[in-house]
């Protein structure tokens, strides 16, 4: 079979065998949960509750009037114990609503029982009966953001500019980061919810076609989805070569559709909407039940974790609780990351809460570059060969350190998606991505100064 792919990329040891065969287990949230009012790209929410208020599970507790934002909801029932700043897994601190769990899981009265029969005919009849605007409204009210990590509010993607016609919805089931298997397990354990959600997303934007793209290292999911797709003529399954960063939006689009998103452009500019695979399950629950996004699969893994596993976790539970649910650490971790090891965000405390975009939390006994000095560039060109954006990482890292704004623009520094492939492959262990991140901030600052 010929697999779809893109030019460049790397093949790190994916370590998915630590968790990919084990069914997801439900995690029971403990005493207090912490819901950040900023969990998405866009404006943070303002609190809708006060200290001392009783809240239901699924009750909206924060929202913003800004279009690019997503409301947040309580993931347990209980009493608001504090509203204060707290460390955030995305970096820095954010205002959070603390809720004392009463362990009753009393549902918000707006949430209905799941009434849809999960078979192809019922799903199609149900989707046909709905209005596109209603789907977008329910997605917005349920606070659904992309669950692959970027956490972009989905209702914004479902409302593309009027001059962009979306013909195809591309569902991202690549999960190309090493260690992460939370999407893989979702594909195996709730496939019909995913298919129903994909149809709902397509209906919302009036797209005719749906492509579900899965990396070749998930043969059981591919087999299951190809069999199921026989009952859905609008859905095809695209099998991707296992390669990092195959799941990054532009690389995925290029591999599956051969369309090229212009520099600084959006998938909608080339007729596409891309969303993460388990986000589709959340869409189905939101539309059928009015259930907001308050829980998700999280992979807890890494060589420091005693019993790596996938957990079904409420938003707001701390990382420490999840590590405890995996029997703690083999030895004290030197590095903790939210997301995958390549693009994930390093954490300075385990007392940060799970947010809507937390696909995994990883703990390592030592960072990849631990104990190594950065060497000088030997001009081997390996970083250029692997860059999926066809950039020159070696030159960009040098211009970044020298803060050469003009050169950085000439070499398209802002097209770097910080995938880390260049750093991974560099035999001299040069901190290329860190340098480029600095270069990007230098360019942004100079643009802001120019605009003043
Ligand atoms: S891979 Fe490292 S050593 Fe080789 S050209 Fe790139 S920066 Fe230089
Ligand atoms: S330059 Fe940027 S896009 Fe290219 S490999 Fe390095 S991190 Fe990835």
């Amino acid at each position: 079979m010929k697999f779809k792919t893109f030019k460049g990329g790397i093949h790190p040891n994916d370590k998915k065998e630590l968790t990919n065969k084990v069914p997801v287990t439900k995690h029971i949230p403990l005493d207090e949960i912490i819901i950040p009012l900023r969990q998405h790209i866009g404006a943070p929410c303002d609190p809708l509750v006060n200290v001392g208020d009783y809240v239901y599970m699924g009750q909206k507790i924060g929202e913003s009037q800004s279009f690019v934002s997503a409301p947040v909801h309580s993931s347990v029932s209980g009493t608001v114990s504090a509203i204060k700043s707290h460390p955030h897994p995305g970096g820095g601190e954010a205002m959070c609503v603390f809720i004392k769990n009463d362990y009753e899981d009393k549902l918000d009265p707006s949430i209905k029982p799941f009434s849809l029969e999960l078979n192809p005919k019922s799903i199609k009849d149900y989707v046909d009966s709905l209005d596109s605007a209603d789907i977008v409204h329910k997605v917005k009210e349920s606070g659904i953001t992309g669950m692959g990590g970027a956490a972009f509010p989905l209702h914004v993607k479902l409302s593309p500019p009027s001059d962009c016609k979306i013909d195809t919805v591309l569902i991202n089931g690549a999960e190309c980061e090493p260690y992460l298997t939370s999407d893989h397990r979702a594909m195996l354990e709730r496939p019909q919810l995913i298919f129903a959600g994909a149809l709902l997303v397509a209906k919302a934007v009036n797209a005719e076609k749906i492509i579900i793209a899965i990396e070749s290292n998930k043969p059981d999911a591919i087999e299951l989805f190809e069999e199921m797709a026989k009952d859905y003529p609008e859905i095809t399954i695209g099998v991707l070569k296992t390669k990092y960063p195959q799941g990054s939006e532009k690389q995925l689009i290029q591999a599956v559709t051969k369309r090229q998103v212009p520099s600084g452009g959006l998938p909608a500019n080339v007729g596409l909407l891309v969303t993460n695979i388990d986000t589709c399950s959340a869409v189905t629950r939101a539309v059928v039940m009015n259930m907001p996004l308050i829980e998700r699969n999280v992979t807890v893994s890494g060589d420091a974790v005693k019993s790596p596993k996938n957990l079904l976790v409420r938003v707001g539970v701390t990382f420490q609780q999840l590590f405890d649910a995996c029997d703690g650490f083999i030895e004290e971790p030197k590095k903790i990351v939210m997301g995958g090891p390549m693009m994930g965000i390093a954490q300075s405390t385990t007392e940060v809460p799970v947010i809507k975009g937390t696909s995994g939390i990883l703990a390592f006994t030592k960072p990849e570059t631990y104990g190594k000095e950065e060497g000088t560039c030997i001009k081997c060109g390996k970083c250029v060969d692997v860059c999926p954006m066809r950039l020159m990482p070696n030159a960009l890292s040098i211009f970044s350190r020298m803060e050469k704004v003009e050169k950085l623009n000439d070499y398209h520094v802002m097209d770097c998606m910080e995938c880390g492939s260049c750093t991974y492959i560099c035999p001299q262990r040069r901190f290329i991505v860190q340098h480029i991140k600095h270069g990007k901030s230098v360019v942004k600052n100079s643009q802001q100064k120019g605009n003043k």
Side-chain angles (χ1 to χ4, degrees):
M1 184 190 282
K2 194 166 181 326
F3 299 136
K4 298 173 192 300
T5 194
F6 62 96
K7 236 177 153 198
I10 54 172
H11 301 272
N13 182 347
D14 72 14
K15 304 269 189 177
K16 290 182 188 276
E17 70 283 357
L18 291 172
T19 53
N20 64 1
K21 295 277 186 277
V22 192
V24 177
T25 42
K26 206 173 164 79
H27 176 261
I28 308 295
L30 299 181
D31 234 22
E32 191 170 54
I33 56 140
I34 306 165
I35 309 281
L37 291 162
R38 165 169 64 83
Q39 296 190 40
H40 46 266
I41 289 177
C45 297
D46 297 316
L48 299 174
V49 290
N50 294 305
V51 174
D53 286 356
Y54 185 81
V55 293
Y56 293 103
M57 179 176 165
Q59 180 178 331
K60 194 195 285 182
I61 57 171
E63 76 178 341
S64 160
Q65 292 311 311
S66 168
F67 179 61
V68 184
S69 186
V72 296
H73 302 76
S74 177
S75 60
V76 295
S77 57
T79 307
V80 177
S81 51
I83 301 173
K84 61 182 181 185
S85 186
H86 185 80
H88 189 281
E93 297 217 339
M95 288 302 287
C96 297
V97 178
F98 289 65
I99 299 164
K100 189 107 180 103
N101 187 4
D102 68 2
Y103 297 97
E104 303 237 355
D105 284 353
K106 279 191 202 150
L107 275 180
D108 188 83
S110 64
I111 297 170
K112 301 184 286 184
F114 193 86
S115 55
L116 176 63
E117 273 186 54
L118 288 174
N119 63 64
K121 181 167 183 335
S122 302
I123 290 172
K124 277 190 256 186
D125 288 349
Y126 177 69
V127 175
D128 285 346
S129 73
L130 296 172
D131 182 52
S132 302
D134 282 348
I135 299 172
V136 179
H137 177 73
K138 287 196 173 193
V139 164
K140 183 177 181 204
E141 281 301 297
S142 303
I144 296 180
T145 61
M147 291 164 70
F152 191 79
L154 184 61
H155 69 271
V156 180
K157 284 191 186 179
L158 298 182
S159 316
S162 53
D163 58 340
C164 294
K165 159 76 184 127
I166 307 288
D167 58 68
T168 304
V169 168
L170 182 49
I171 305 295
N172 188 352
E175 199 169 48
C176 64
E177 277 266 13
Y179 290 93
L180 302 185
T181 59
S182 52
D183 281 348
H184 185 180
R185 291 310 312 174
M187 287 185 242
L188 296 176
E189 295 179 31
R190 39 180 177 261
Q192 293 288 7
L193 277 188
I194 290 172
F195 272 57
L199 261 81
L200 288 164
V201 169
K203 171 88 188 209
V205 291
N206 297 314
E208 300 91 40
K209 239 177 110 181
I210 298 166
I211 304 173
I212 302 180
I214 310 173
E215 265 195 357
S216 59
N217 60 358
K218 304 170 190 58
D220 44 5
I222 292 166
E223 194 186 340
L224 173 65
F225 274 37
E226 283 183 336
E227 190 55 38
M228 283 175 56
K230 290 177 184 164
D231 292 319
Y232 296 88
E234 55 281 82
I235 298 181
T236 52
I237 309 303
V239 182
L240 304 162
K241 189 170 179 179
T242 298
K243 186 165 74 167
Y244 177 83
Q246 185 68 82
S248 127
E249 201 165 74
K250 286 187 179 171
Q251 280 56 49
L252 187 72
I253 289 172
Q254 190 189 331
V256 177
T257 68
K258 304 280 176 242
R259 297 181 201 180
Q260 203 87 38
V261 180
S263 178
L266 297 169
N269 298 129
V270 291
L272 294 167
L273 183 151
V274 184
T275 195
N276 157 269
I277 198 141
D278 206 21
T279 309
C280 295
S281 322
V283 168
T284 304
R285 289 194 211 94
V287 176
V288 175
M289 312 170 66
N290 298 328
M291 177 58 89
L293 179 48
I294 56 170
E295 67 178 2
R296 61 159 302 143
N297 281 3
V298 178
T299 302
V300 186
S301 191
D303 66 350
V305 177
K306 213 175 253 177
S307 309
K309 56 181 81 153
N310 276 296
L311 297 169
L312 180 63
V313 178
R314 304 275 177 89
V315 167
V317 166
T318 64
F319 287 15
Q320 187 58 52
Q321 285 181 40
L322 300 189
F323 287 127
D324 291 345
C326 294
D327 304 322
F329 299 123
I330 294 165
E331 64 177 88
E332 200 51 38
K334 294 276 189 330
K335 187 174 185 183
I336 290 178
V337 173
M338 178 176 78
M342 301 298 295
M343 289 184 83
I345 302 170
Q347 305 294 314
S348 55
T349 168
T350 53
E351 289 308 318
V352 286
V354 165
I355 55 175
K356 297 172 193 176
T358 307
S359 49
I361 60 172
L362 308 176
F364 299 108
T365 52
K366 56 184 177 194
E368 308 82 79
T369 53
Y370 192 70
K372 296 272 182 178
E373 291 291 316
E374 182 177 28
T376 46
C377 176
I378 53 170
K379 299 192 169 60
C380 66
K382 287 186 177 173
C383 56
V384 180
D385 291 343
V386 300
C387 178
M389 297 303 292
R390 319 313 298 151
L391 301 173
M392 294 183 66
N394 47 354
L396 283 172
S397 83
I398 292 166
F399 296 142
S400 295
R401 292 184 77 175
M402 296 165 76
E403 303 193 350
K404 296 266 184 201
V405 173
E406 205 175 317
K407 286 282 187 196
L408 286 168
N409 280 323
D410 289 349
Y411 282 73
H412 306 285
V413 72
M414 299 313 278
D415 283 348
C416 168
M417 57 177 180
E418 301 172 15
C419 69
S421 300
C422 48
T423 303
Y424 177 86
I425 208 76
C426 177
Q428 293 297 94
R429 291 189 162 272
R430 290 181 55 73
F431 307 155
I432 307 174
V433 191
Q434 283 95 319
H435 297 317
I436 293 178
K437 281 183 185 172
H438 174 66
K440 286 168 88 172
S441 66
V442 169
V443 169
K444 270 190 207 152
N445 287 342
S446 86
Q447 284 168 348
Q448 276 162 4
K449 275 189 200 149
N451 289 339
K452 276 183 187 165

